[in-house]
Amino acid sequence: MKKLEEIFNKPITETLYHYTDGSAFLGIVKNNEMWASHIRFMNDTKEGLLALDRFEEVVNDNKNLVKGHNIDSLIKSVKKAFAKETASLGIFIISFCEVKDDLNLWRGYANKTLPYCIGFNTKEFLKVEEIKNYISEVQDFLINSWDPKETKKKVFLLPCIYDYAEQVGLIKEILSDSVERIRVLEPTSEAELGEEIAKRLVCYAPLIKHEVFKDEKEWRAIILYEKSFAPNFTKQDIEDALEEAKDSGEKERLEYLEESFEDNEVSLRDDREFLNYRMGRSYIIPFFRYKINKKVFKEIIIGTCPDKDSVYESTVYFLSKNGFTYEESKSLTEYTKIPYRNW
């Protein structure tokens, strides 16, 4: 898939930035976790659904790609299957961007309380040894596997696609490839083809964003989560998780659980360890708890505020009491260079 491979040609930068307000900043540092919001409850009202619009446009403009199929029926089948997939599969997003200390991003995403921009070490965030190996794994999943029910991988870090022509090109490839893969089921119904297309479209949908957001240069950590595929766990599951765990705190928790677990015991998974809910301005927002460690922090930029010296001092003090030395806290922290006042 040429268009998808082009996405991977864009190198992952060593540092990605996350803009947030003071309350969220305190939670990220203190609790060693980021909150990934459910894709259907983010500030872009077309979030996750724009891919469906693009699909409908592509299939109406390229009917030769689905010869022998009723177009209207196929579109309905894809929408129905897409809704079913997104209802059963939790897709959670943590947003990053390439841009450090940007005025528009300060205004858009860090305007409630004292604002912060956190620079993250990308490799540490992904918990990988080498970015190249990570990219190969993700590429293999999205090009060859593409079914979240058949992979243990949870996190995919990829750049958003804003350009209309690129979006259309990607949807064309998904459509053509889906038709080719399912051709062995001749004769294929619109429902069968619709399910095939929807399964793959769900994986790519979080990357397709409206062009009005293009200046954000967003990268997304996409977390696929579904409890119902494996509602129970055994001691073998714990051992498997322990082998994959890199964070020392997570290893300690799993080792304790392993010691207290009987060989033949089967226990119900508890969503509360990963999933929670917060109150947004207009509705309840589900979120996924993504655990991090202190090594992920490369930079901490304080946004504009009335008394920058006091805020700098209090930020350094807070960091030095939450896992960092005083010298580390000072070297991490700086004040915005943008001469903007919002008070």
Side-chain angles (χ1 to χ4, degrees):
M1 295 180 70
K2 184 179 178 182
K3 284 294 177 186
L4 188 60
E5 288 173 355
E6 287 176 2
I7 296 173
F8 292 98
N9 288 334
K10 186 173 185 180
I12 300 178
T13 58
E14 292 183 1
T15 308
L16 286 172
Y17 296 92
H18 179 76
Y19 290 76
T20 189
D21 61 49
S23 297
F25 169 73
L26 290 178
I28 290 170
V29 175
K30 189 175 181 179
N31 300 320
N32 293 318
E33 66 182 25
M34 306 250 333
W35 289 4
S37 297
H38 195 289
I39 192 171
R40 289 295 296 115
F41 303 96
M42 300 180 75
N43 63 348
D44 181 354
T45 57
K46 294 294 291 184
E47 197 69 72
L49 300 177
L50 189 58
L52 277 179
D53 293 346
R54 294 291 178 263
F55 164 75
E56 189 169 351
E57 293 166 7
V58 167
V59 78
N60 276 316
D61 292 341
N62 299 271
K63 296 178 181 178
N64 60 306
L65 295 177
V66 286
K67 286 181 180 178
H69 290 282
N70 182 283
I71 300 298
D72 291 337
S73 179
L74 178 60
I75 291 172
K76 287 179 181 178
S77 295
V78 169
K79 288 182 176 180
K80 181 179 179 180
F82 187 91
K84 183 179 177 181
E85 287 287 326
T86 52
S88 64
L89 177 66
I91 303 175
F92 297 84
I93 304 294
I94 302 175
S95 294
F96 298 94
C97 69
E98 300 174 20
V99 188
K100 173 183 176 179
D101 200 11
D102 180 81
L103 177 59
N104 288 330
L105 290 168
W106 283 123
R107 285 171 170 168
Y109 296 99
N111 58 1
K112 296 177 184 177
T113 60
L114 177 66
Y116 285 89
C117 171
I118 308 172
F120 284 91
N121 181 315
T122 308
K123 191 163 67 172
E124 290 292 342
F125 176 84
L126 292 171
K127 303 170 186 174
V128 297
E129 297 295 330
E130 293 293 337
I131 290 292
K132 284 184 179 179
N133 294 338
Y134 168 81
I135 291 174
S136 297
E137 289 181 24
V138 175
Q139 188 171 10
D140 180 65
F141 171 80
L142 288 174
I143 293 177
N144 300 314
S145 303
W146 54 264
D147 188 345
K149 299 177 185 178
E150 296 177 2
T151 181
K152 291 183 179 180
K153 179 161 281 299
K154 293 289 186 186
V155 183
F156 306 91
L157 182 65
L158 294 165
C160 289
I161 306 170
Y162 303 99
D163 184 78
Y164 179 81
E166 290 183 3
Q167 293 173 357
V168 168
L170 179 59
I171 299 296
K172 277 184 180 180
E173 289 182 1
I174 292 171
L175 182 58
S176 298
D177 204 46
S178 297
V179 171
E180 188 65 30
R181 286 175 184 265
I182 205 168
R183 192 161 284 172
V184 293
L185 300 177
E186 295 271 6
T188 306
S189 68
E190 280 77 25
E192 290 170 324
L193 180 56
E195 288 181 4
E196 181 80 4
I197 294 168
K199 281 180 185 178
R200 308 191 67 202
L201 205 56
V202 162
C203 295
Y204 305 112
L207 302 178
I208 296 177
K209 289 207 69 176
H210 197 282
E211 63 181 354
V212 297
F213 295 99
K214 65 182 180 181
D215 290 340
E216 295 179 357
K217 298 181 181 179
E218 184 180 354
W219 284 72
R220 292 193 150 181
I222 303 166
I223 299 171
L224 306 180
Y225 176 85
E226 177 50 71
K227 170 185 170 181
S228 62
F229 296 148
N232 301 317
F233 68 92
T234 64
K235 192 166 186 176
Q236 184 59 53
D237 292 322
I238 300 172
E239 292 171 357
D240 291 343
L242 190 55
E243 286 184 11
E244 296 179 1
K246 291 183 173 62
D247 180 74
S248 58
E250 176 68 1
K251 286 182 179 179
E252 185 177 350
R253 185 188 71 82
L254 289 169
E255 286 169 354
Y256 176 81
L257 184 60
E258 183 183 29
E259 289 175 5
S260 61
F261 215 84
E262 300 294 333
D263 288 340
N264 59 350
E265 186 177 351
V266 177
S267 183
L268 186 67
R269 293 186 191 276
D270 188 356
D271 275 5
R272 289 174 297 180
E273 182 178 353
F274 304 101
L275 296 180
N276 215 317
Y277 303 87
R278 63 183 175 87
M279 193 65 226
R281 291 180 181 176
S282 305
Y283 40 72
I284 297 169
I285 301 175
F287 66 88
F288 181 96
R289 298 179 182 274
Y290 183 74
K291 290 294 182 181
I292 57 177
N293 60 54
K294 299 303 183 192
K295 293 180 181 179
V296 302
F297 296 97
K298 285 187 70 175
E299 303 171 57
I300 294 171
I301 305 156
I302 302 167
T304 184
C305 57
D307 187 356
K308 66 179 183 179
D309 291 336
S310 294
V311 172
Y312 175 85
E313 185 179 345
S314 66
T315 300
V316 169
Y317 182 82
F318 167 70
L319 292 171
S320 68
K321 299 301 179 183
N322 283 275
F324 300 94
T325 67
Y326 181 71
E327 290 304 319
E328 286 173 338
S329 303
K330 287 180 65 177
S331 65
L332 278 172
T333 310
E334 61 182 273
Y335 190 73
T336 178
K337 294 178 173 59
I338 295 176
Y340 166 66
R341 181 160 47 196
N342 65 350
W343 65 90

